[in-house]
Amino acid sequence: MKINKILILGSGTLGLRIGLQAAISKYQVIIYDIHKDAFTKAKDIHTNILRGLVKRGIVQSDELQPIASRISWTTDLPGACKDVDFVSESVTEDLEIKKELWAKVGSLCPEHTIFTTNTSYMLASMMADDTGRPSKFCAFHFHDVFWANVVDIMPHPTTDQAIVDLLFDMGRRLNQTPVLVKKENSGYIFNAMLMAVLGAAGFLRMQDVASIYDIDRSWMGNFKMEIGPFGIMDTVGLDTAWHIIKARKDPKSVAFAALLETYVKSGKLGVKTGEGFYSYPKPKFKEEGFVQGL
């Protein structure tokens, strides 16, 4: 089937980026959120991302207005679901919230609509039946979208193969590198590897082996990277990291989840709130001489 109109559920860190890339790729996009005030911040981030894409020559200046015109914003879920061909969900990593939303969306969208979840760590099979159309439901998981442009395609046991094929084509149109996760795996491919690193970093901090700064310095210095594990968690969102890590019941994860919870309860969620393990928009790890400890 041909995809023309895409509905993004959630205007947070990834939802707004998926929506923007879809508009750049010439899809009509509706971005839905329950909080209208979230749109102001999302639009500001769109502006900054587009400014960077223009500088890099990926988007031309005369394309900016047409891109913006292809995006609409709404808090009206029934209206948002009308006539859409494709849904991408990026709401809070809470299974009950996702299941409740999918039950609503499944009853509101046209029969032909394809449903996808961008969940970071849950399995599509956990909410497939709630959609009312499990064969048309699949995990379609993005990373950064514009820098780390890989999209994971992870079907659950009853996902129609035709949906998987369509998602490969759609992923390429969205300027992503599609990779197939052959069977359901919490954390897909990259996130499963990343969480091992972040968990180890958290354990080192909880055992007072080293400071947050020195753990990040060690990573950045050895791999010649511009960001370390704690900076990565700030970028992902400490609330998202907390939801993922607290689902693990081993002692290391339980202890680290407790630390993350103190940040979450204080409203320090990382980049999106301006403070987490570092302060933004000018985190210490971006300062000249940080890795060298100067």
Side-chain angles (χ1 to χ4, degrees), residues 138-193:
C138 188
F140 195 48
H141 172 255
F142 294 78
H143 294 263
D144 170 78
V145 180
F146 293 101
W147 180 253
N149 57 331
V150 172
V151 64
D152 301 295
I153 299 170
M154 187 171 75
H156 64 87
T158 61
T159 302
D160 191 320
Q161 180 60 42
I163 301 300
V164 175
D165 296 339
L166 181 147
L167 292 178
F168 265 91
D169 291 338
M170 190 170 182
R172 295 186 186 101
R173 181 172 169 183
L174 290 169
N175 195 36
Q176 307 297 298
T177 298
V179 296
L180 176 65
V181 184
K182 295 193 294 182
K183 64 179 182 179
E184 286 193 301
N185 181 64
S186 184
Y188 306 92
I189 300 171
F190 177 77
N191 278 5
M193 296 186 287

Side-chain angles (χ1 to χ4, degrees), residues 76-209:
D76 174 18
L77 186 60
C81 291
K82 186 178 180 181
D83 299 328
V84 296
D85 303 310
F86 188 94
V87 178
S88 173
E89 171 265 310
S90 292
V91 302
T92 302
E93 285 290 282
D94 182 298
L95 183 58
E96 292 309 311
I97 291 175
K98 289 180 183 291
K99 288 167 71 71
E100 183 179 349
L101 178 60
W102 275 120
K104 291 178 182 176
V105 172
S107 68
L108 292 168
C109 285
E111 189 60 34
H112 73 273
T113 308
I114 294 167
F115 292 161
T116 65
T117 179
N118 184 50
T119 177
S120 298
Y121 228 77
M122 296 177 191
L123 305 179
S125 57
M126 294 175 174
M127 58 198 96
D129 289 342
D130 298 281
T131 69
R133 58 191 80 176
S135 65
K136 293 182 179 178
F137 184 61
C138 188
F140 195 48
H141 172 255
F142 294 78
H143 294 263
D144 170 78
V145 180
F146 293 101
W147 180 253
N149 57 331
V150 172
V151 64
D152 301 295
I153 299 170
M154 187 171 75
H156 64 87
T158 61
T159 302
D160 191 320
Q161 180 60 42
I163 301 300
V164 175
D165 296 339
L166 181 147
L167 292 178
F168 265 91
D169 291 338
M170 190 170 182
R172 295 186 186 101
R173 181 172 169 183
L174 290 169
N175 195 36
Q176 307 297 298
T177 298
V179 296
L180 176 65
V181 184
K182 295 193 294 182
K183 64 179 182 179
E184 286 193 301
N185 181 64
S186 184
Y188 306 92
I189 300 171
F190 177 77
N191 278 5
M193 296 186 287
L194 176 63
M195 287 312 299
V197 172
L198 300 186
F203 177 71
L204 290 169
R205 177 65 193 92
M206 294 305 297
Q207 294 296 307
D208 202 26
V209 172

Side-chain angles (χ1 to χ4, degrees), residues 232-283:
I232 290 171
M233 282 185 270
D234 273 355
T235 303
V236 169
L238 299 190
D239 52 340
T240 298
W242 175 58
H243 279 295
I244 293 169
I245 292 172
K246 76 173 182 176
R248 299 183 170 192
K249 302 307 178 185
D250 60 283
K252 293 180 183 179
S253 297
V254 170
F256 189 33
L259 173 65
L260 288 172
E261 186 176 15
T262 64
Y263 283 83
V264 173
K265 287 185 174 180
S266 298
K268 298 176 181 180
L269 307 183
V271 175
K272 57 187 172 184
T273 59
E275 187 175 1
F277 292 117
Y278 295 89
S279 295
Y280 298 85
K282 296 180 179 180

